[in-house]
Amino acid sequence: MPVKWVLHWQPNAGTTVNSQILTEVSQCVEGINGVKEGRWKATLTFYRPMLREQANMAEFPRDFLGISLPEQPNKYYFVIRGQRLVLEADLTIQTIMERLQSYKARVALNFEGFQYQLGDFQLRVGKVVPNHAESLRGILMEVEYLPISSWDKSHQIMEEFFDIWQEALSKRSLPGHFVHIEPSFGEFGLSEQYTSQHTAIQYASIVAQMIATAQSAQSDVTRSLILPICLMEPSVTIQFASLIDGNLAC
Amino acid sequence: MGCFSNVKEWKSFRLVKSRAELKSTFSAKIQIHVEALEILLQGLCGVHRERLRIHEMCLKSGPNLGLVASEVRLLCDLEQPEPAWTVKHVGGAMRGAGAEQISVLVRTMVESKASKNVLRVFYALGYKLDHELLRVGFAFHFQRGAQITITVSSVNKMLKLHATDEAVPVTPGIQLVEVTAPASSENYTEVVAAMSSFCEYLAPLLHLSKPGVSTGVVPTAAAAAASLMSDGGGTTL
């Protein structure tokens, strides 16, 4: 299947993501002649072990994620990032996990927005929101290059597109930029031929990065007294960090 | 070679998405003329048999995992060009007066195909290998009032971990015969009737009963098997 880069919005230090940035990004895609097609949605769920004794929490993975992707409506993906494990299964694997009662689905994040066609590229721009809330937690973008399925062979053209995109976006002077994390797919046992398992790993990596950013921002809030209050939305940042921290702690 | 004993039958619900399905299963642990049974089945089913070589791993949750202990089965189909994995959860049996009145055992069953990392994933989640088996035999899949599958297989144990090439029979000479069909709560009675009707054709060789109820040896089995073997299935049993 075609190669895909998944990008996430990295706010500048002292700023947070907001819906205006999302609007600007979407307008920028249309400004470079991206043709709006339809909506898309992916979901990522944090799973937590159900333990009889909480003291042994360290024995079990704290980064066990479940991911559903729109291009694979009949599949579900598990990622245990710390152990470099990715699994593709049928949707019924979720029912099996419920029946086992050994792990429970906790927080879920939705990634949703619009899809655009731009020549041989398919772009998706989406907001990151918790499953039962409307507040924006992040912005994510998918860049898919339809003609190539080789990760290695696609690198040059993807880099070139990314540079063009960053340049177009920079003209809007937004407080942040998109970042691409390139996971080591080989460590997960995957080849350089792109699959949805590669996408699942990219999503897992992005969420880990978003958690790290949120926790860092939370630390900044509690430590620093000189950052201008008007540049920060501490309640949003702390809520997001707590949402994830609470999930990690339970 | 001798005849048969100890037949088990059960039915299970399989929950797929939001839809409940009944899976009716009749099974017989039997010592049989496998070739005779195969000839009979070839004539009855009208389809080619498929080879069966399934490596089944039963995993159980570690001591601290889950508020209650749990068990999951990983099945690896070794007959495919690339080993194909399935995750299977079998639930508890239906109990009560209603369950006693029907001739089958009812339980839930959920399956999911999975990629090859599935064993490592469950180990990482805290599951441990309890036991593993290798089932070798054949299967027929056909439509006869219901989508029926009949498998005839030997159950083998591995002397070394995962060493499927060195498996030995758990009970030499004993074959496990299972007849299964997916069903829903809406069409359960029709499926049971279809399976019962089909199993009647096996009566000269096999007897089926609820788990724990022994039917003993089928008196006609030897003669029926000899007849089938002598004329390749032309005999009407």
Side-chain angles (χ1 to χ4, degrees), chain A residues 50-53 56 60-61 64 80 83 85-90 92-93 95-96 99-103 188, chain B residues 15 63-71 87 89 108 110-115 117-118 120 122 124-125 127:
Chain A
M50 304 292 289
L51 303 178
R52 287 162 229 174
E53 290 179 22
N56 296 328
F60 303 95
F64 176 35
I80 304 176
Q83 300 191 40
L85 291 172
V86 60
L87 182 76
E88 180 181 87
D90 292 341
T92 47
I93 196 71
T95 304
I96 290 175
R99 297 286 173 89
L100 290 173
Q101 296 184 52
S102 53
Y103 284 78
F188 286 82
Chain B
L15 187 64
N64 190 31
L65 182 61
L67 300 179
V68 294
S70 59
E71 182 178 304
V87 183
H89 180 263
T108 59
V110 187
E111 292 182 335
S112 167
K113 291 189 175 54
S115 53
N117 259 345
V118 62
R120 287 181 61 200
F122 274 96
L125 294 178
Y127 281 82

Side-chain angles (χ1 to χ4, degrees), chain B residues 9 14 43 63 70 97 124 130 202 236:
Chain B
E9 69 178 40
R14 183 173 64 184
S70 59
D130 183 75
L202 306 182
T236 300

Side-chain angles (χ1 to χ4, degrees), chain A residues 143-211:
Chain A
V143 178
E144 188 176 38
Y145 185 57
L146 301 174
I148 295 181
S149 58
S150 160
W151 182 259
D152 295 338
K153 290 179 184 164
S154 68
H155 216 268
Q156 182 179 352
I157 192 161
M158 296 295 273
E159 285 276 5
E160 288 173 2
F161 179 90
F162 188 56
D163 291 342
I164 293 169
W165 168 245
Q166 296 280 58
E167 188 182 338
L169 203 56
S170 67
K171 294 172 184 169
R172 294 178 179 255
S173 303
L174 299 175
H177 58 282
F178 277 104
V179 172
H180 177 234
I181 304 168
E182 187 159 327
S184 296
F185 295 123
E187 292 181 8
F188 286 82
L190 300 182
S191 75
E192 62 100 29
Q193 287 298 308
Y194 197 80
T195 67
S196 294
Q197 293 186 57
H198 293 71
T199 302
I201 291 168
Q202 291 195 70
Y203 270 82
S205 299
I206 281 172
V207 168
Q209 182 63 43
M210 290 172 68
I211 292 172

